[in-house]
């Protein structure tokens, strides 16, 4: 057997995704310790908004207890900067697992990568905010144009959660295919809303009622306007467009249709918004019946036309036989139209939200980093 | 800029896929030479059944000319063993690109891997013949349980061509998901045949006529019986089942339905078979009308039920609304039912055959190997 190799891991953010990630790593550890060479994925720091636990001597924290210990910890939270510095001093290669949606943490990526720390994350902010941050990240990363001693960065779960969306797009581009168009349903919330509001074959409730139902089932953000404004989809489209080679400045640099009626933009709370939304059901019903007359259904989609550099987020009509129309539940679907694949797109479909599948994308990225850092 | 790194490449088999692969590498070279560190993918040997060209001093062969030179070469073909030995003596890490379906070459993989040569290939034989070969390959590979100094082996294109089927299944398994069932259409030929024979919504020709048409369009093997016997699909299922953790002994170790009528098994040629096939259209018509009565269509599918270890290849009926029924052209579709993904499967769909997309899977694997061999 070859010498064991250790990778030091810091997890920031232990909400639903962070917790699922820790559980997945816990299940992985025994198998990886038996690999050749043995791989020791060593958790050394766990941090959330008000608490942190770290291992002073870079020993492995006990994953079966660490989340409980974190909840009961009364220690004061050290500044983020100090925790990151602790990570850069780990006695071996280290990975920062950012399970937050914190733009401040995202802004530290270029510096961390340059210091040799790898990053795996479902945090969309880092990759969809201003283009300059994207460029700094990839010019600092070993899997960008940075030094081979830099860290690697992977962010599969920023689009479609654990679905292999970004890895597939990267492979199409890297092997020299020409991506013509990317089109799909990129939000579990929007998928659920429109599959319920206007199912293929007729039926479905009032739009405002479907929004309320989606909120009750936990399919929306606490304030449903954060889904209905289209910004989440716009961030995902920004990431895909950049990977396809377009220099998209920000998620507000292209047409994004909001489903929040103008008159309700000024509502002071999500509850007030939900109370007033039924007053606008007429508009949505009109849309529904006009689509039905053409034998179509309405869906909230994003699309990128690569040659014309057109990025678009909003409502579109689709034939009942179109794969986008036939989507079920809160599934995502992503269609890649490319030169090699011709008229029938390469399609990826499945759950695009949820703690377990999002964490799976993060864990998968961690395993990719571990394989790349392994000494041959 | 860091020191350039070279990877030495030998290509065996330059039919449609091999030619497309060489073209793809040719397009990649300039970009990779500008990477950090510069990566020199150096083609040093090209071999096919009757000719070979190699570079005595391990210099790069000119990819724009090598295929023409190969065709006009009058040199006698050295034994395979000699060519492989030449590759193991390359002054750096080397990759064998096996674009053949040669079982003899496949049998050399364990030895080549142990000698540090990586392998990327669409050759199904190596991974679907007897289980003992599979075990030898992965106990010799760096990405199996072999030494970290061994070569890596990737074979994405053995199932679904360039579609990300195997990488997705591996990630599901490695991150600890439980795969319950895998079901899909795994043959472009069978997809085309049944989408034409029994399209959703009615219509379609006689089965024997569709087989003839498929042959004329180049969608079948020269002898269509090589598709209709189901063995190609059985090989793919064997590979998927093994990756899902089942110890499938061989592609004939489970139920495979052949579409060759018993009475025609003894035909001496593909042409005689095609002449006599119309005599059996009645059976297929009966199947069609019995499915139609249930509002279903017939498709030729493969399925793996992981908990019960049941692997099956053959005809099944599907509701017209099922994604498998709605497939178009010669597309493949693969549904992964897993614990994490719940009742809606993770679906991958698109062209599963053709030189360009098959070569893309091979080129993508080559880039993975290059990233793993890169010295950090």
């Amino acid at each position: 057997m070859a010498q064991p190799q250790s990778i030091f891991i810091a997890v920031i953010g232990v909400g639903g995704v962070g917790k699922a990630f820790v559980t997945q790593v816990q299940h992985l550890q025994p198998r990886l310790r038996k690999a050749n060479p043995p791989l020791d994925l060593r958790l050394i720091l766990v941090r959330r908004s008000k608490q942190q636990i770290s291992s002073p001597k870079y020993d492995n924290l006990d994953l079966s207890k660490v989340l409980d210990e974190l909840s009961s910890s009364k220690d004061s939270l050290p500044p983020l900067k100090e925790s990151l510095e602790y990570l850069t001093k780990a006695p071996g290669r280290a990975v920062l697992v950012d399970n937050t949606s914190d733009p401040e943490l995202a802004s530290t990526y270029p510096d961390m990568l340059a210091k040799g720390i790898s990053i795996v994350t479902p945090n969309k902010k880092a990759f969809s905010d201003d283009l300059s941050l994207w460029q700094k990240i990839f010019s600092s990363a070993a899997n960008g144009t940075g030094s081979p001693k830099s860290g690697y960065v992977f962010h599969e779960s920023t689009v479609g959660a654990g679905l292999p969306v970004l890895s597939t797009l990267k492979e199409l581009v890297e092997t020299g295919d020409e991506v013509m168009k990317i089109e799909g349903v990129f939000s579990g919330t929007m998928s659920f809303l429109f599959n319920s509001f206007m199912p293929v074959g007729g039926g479905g409730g009032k739009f405002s009622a479907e929004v309320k139902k989606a909120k009750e089932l936990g399919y929306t953000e606490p304030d449903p306007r954060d889904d209905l404004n289209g910004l989440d989809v716009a961030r995902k489209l920004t990431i895909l467009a950049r990977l396809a080679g377009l220099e998209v400045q920000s998620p507000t640099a292209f047409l994004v249709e909001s489903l929040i009626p103008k008159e309700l933009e000024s509502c002071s709370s999500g509850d007030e918004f939900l109370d007033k939304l039924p007053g606008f059901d007429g508009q949505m019903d009109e849309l529904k019946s006009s689509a039905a007359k053409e034998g179509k259904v309405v869906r909230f989609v994003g699309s990128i036309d690569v040659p014309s550099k057109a990025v678009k987020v909003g409502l579109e009509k689709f034939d009942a036989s179109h794969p986008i129309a036939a989507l079920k539940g809160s599934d995502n679907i992503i269609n890649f139209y490319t030169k090699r694949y011709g008229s029938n797109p390469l399609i990826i479909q499945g759950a695009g939200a949820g703690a377990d599948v999002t964490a799976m994308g993060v864990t998968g990225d961690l395993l990719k980093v571990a394989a790349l850092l392994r000494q041959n």
Side-chain angles (χ1 to χ4, degrees), chain A:
Chain A
M1 275 292 213
Q3 281 296 308
Q5 299 182 1
S6 296
I7 291 181
F8 298 86
I9 300 173
V11 177
I12 304 191
V14 281
V17 174
K19 283 199 181 96
F21 169 79
V22 169
T23 307
Q24 289 178 14
V25 171
Q26 192 184 345
H27 282 119
L28 275 173
Q29 280 182 339
R31 180 173 65 75
L32 294 175
R33 286 197 185 120
K34 278 184 248 161
N36 185 11
L39 176 63
D40 175 24
L41 287 184
R42 197 182 296 190
L43 186 71
I44 54 166
L45 182 146
V46 181
R47 179 188 176 101
R48 62 178 183 190
S49 47
K50 298 222 168 77
Q51 291 110 348
Q52 172 176 310
I53 288 185
S54 65
S55 145
K57 294 190 169 168
Y58 297 99
D59 296 327
N60 190 33
L61 296 171
D62 183 342
L63 274 79
S64 65
K65 294 184 193 158
V66 71
L67 295 177
D68 287 339
E69 283 172 10
L70 186 66
S71 309
S72 56
S73 164
K74 299 273 182 258
D75 298 349
S76 67
L77 188 74
L80 176 63
K81 206 182 151 189
E82 226 169 77
S83 304
L84 296 179
E85 220 174 278
Y86 157 85
L87 185 61
T88 59
K89 289 181 181 152
R93 297 302 297 257
V95 181
L96 168 63
V97 183
D98 172 10
N99 290 319
T100 73
S101 56
D102 179 6
E104 188 200 338
L105 185 51
S107 72
T108 70
Y109 289 2
D111 186 45
M112 294 300 281
L113 289 165
K115 286 178 175 156
I117 307 300
S118 293
I119 293 165
V120 298
T121 182
N123 182 349
K124 286 187 278 288
K125 297 278 167 60
F127 307 94
S128 60
D129 273 351
D130 198 77
L131 181 63
S132 60
L133 179 56
W134 169 281
Q135 287 165 337
K136 274 183 215 153
I137 289 171
F138 289 100
S139 64
S140 306
N143 55 332
T145 55
S147 149
K149 303 273 177 209
S150 296
Y152 291 88
V153 58
F154 289 101
H155 55 105
E156 183 64 72
S157 284
T158 56
V159 179
L163 297 174
V165 178
L166 302 190
S167 54
T168 299
L169 176 55
K170 276 186 217 169
E171 185 153 314
L172 289 165
V173 171
E174 283 175 2
T175 62
D177 199 355
E178 273 176 58
V179 179
M180 309 308 288
K181 187 178 168 186
I182 304 171
E183 183 181 50
V185 173
F186 295 93
S187 151
T189 313
M190 292 295 199
S191 181
F192 178 84
L193 274 179
F194 283 88
N195 300 343
S196 315
F197 170 63
M198 192 174 185
V200 170
K206 293 285 173 192
F207 189 70
S208 62
E210 298 298 349
V211 174
K212 267 188 193 145
K213 195 168 85 187
K215 182 176 152 63
E216 281 159 20
L217 289 169
Y219 285 157
T220 68
E221 297 293 323
D223 184 340
R225 287 177 296 180
D226 291 337
D227 295 297
L228 295 175
N229 65 13
L231 185 60
D232 172 71
V233 178
R235 286 193 178 278
K236 291 167 179 166
L237 270 278
T238 300
I239 294 169
L240 289 167
R242 287 173 179 174
L243 284 175
L246 301 185
E247 299 210 324
V248 176
Q249 202 57 46
S250 78
T252 55
F254 51 88
L255 197 66
V256 179
E257 187 177 349
S258 169
L259 297 186
I260 302 171
K262 271 223 163 354
E263 297 85 341
L264 300 188
E265 276 173 1
S266 57
C267 286
S268 58
S269 72
D271 286 340
E272 186 196 339
F273 168 75
L274 280 176
D275 284 346
K276 292 184 174 166
L277 191 58
F280 298 84
D281 278 336
Q283 292 177 16
M284 292 300 282
D285 284 342
E286 265 175 46
L287 193 68
K288 191 167 166 173
S289 59
S290 90
K293 270 179 205 152
E294 299 173 46
K296 295 185 174 180
V297 296
V298 178
R299 294 294 182 259
F300 192 87
V301 297
S303 69
I304 301 164
D305 187 278
V306 181
S308 72
K309 302 184 184 178
V311 185
K312 228 169 49 174
V313 171
L315 296 168
E316 301 268 352
K317 294 173 192 166
F318 292 90
D319 279 330
S321 66
H322 195 286
I324 286 182
L327 215 56
K328 288 200 175 68
S330 59
D331 278 5
N332 286 12
I333 184 169
I334 297 94
N335 297 275
F336 294 104
Y337 293 86
T338 81
K339 199 175 162 197
R340 278 186 203 139
Y341 278 88
S343 53
N344 291 353
L346 189 171
I347 302 178
I348 314 264
Q349 184 179 328
D356 282 346
V357 293
T358 305
M360 168 185 151
V362 181
T363 306
D365 282 351
L366 175 65
L367 291 175
K368 279 177 201 160
V369 169
L372 290 166
L373 291 179
R374 175 175 145 147
Q375 299 303 315
N376 302 114

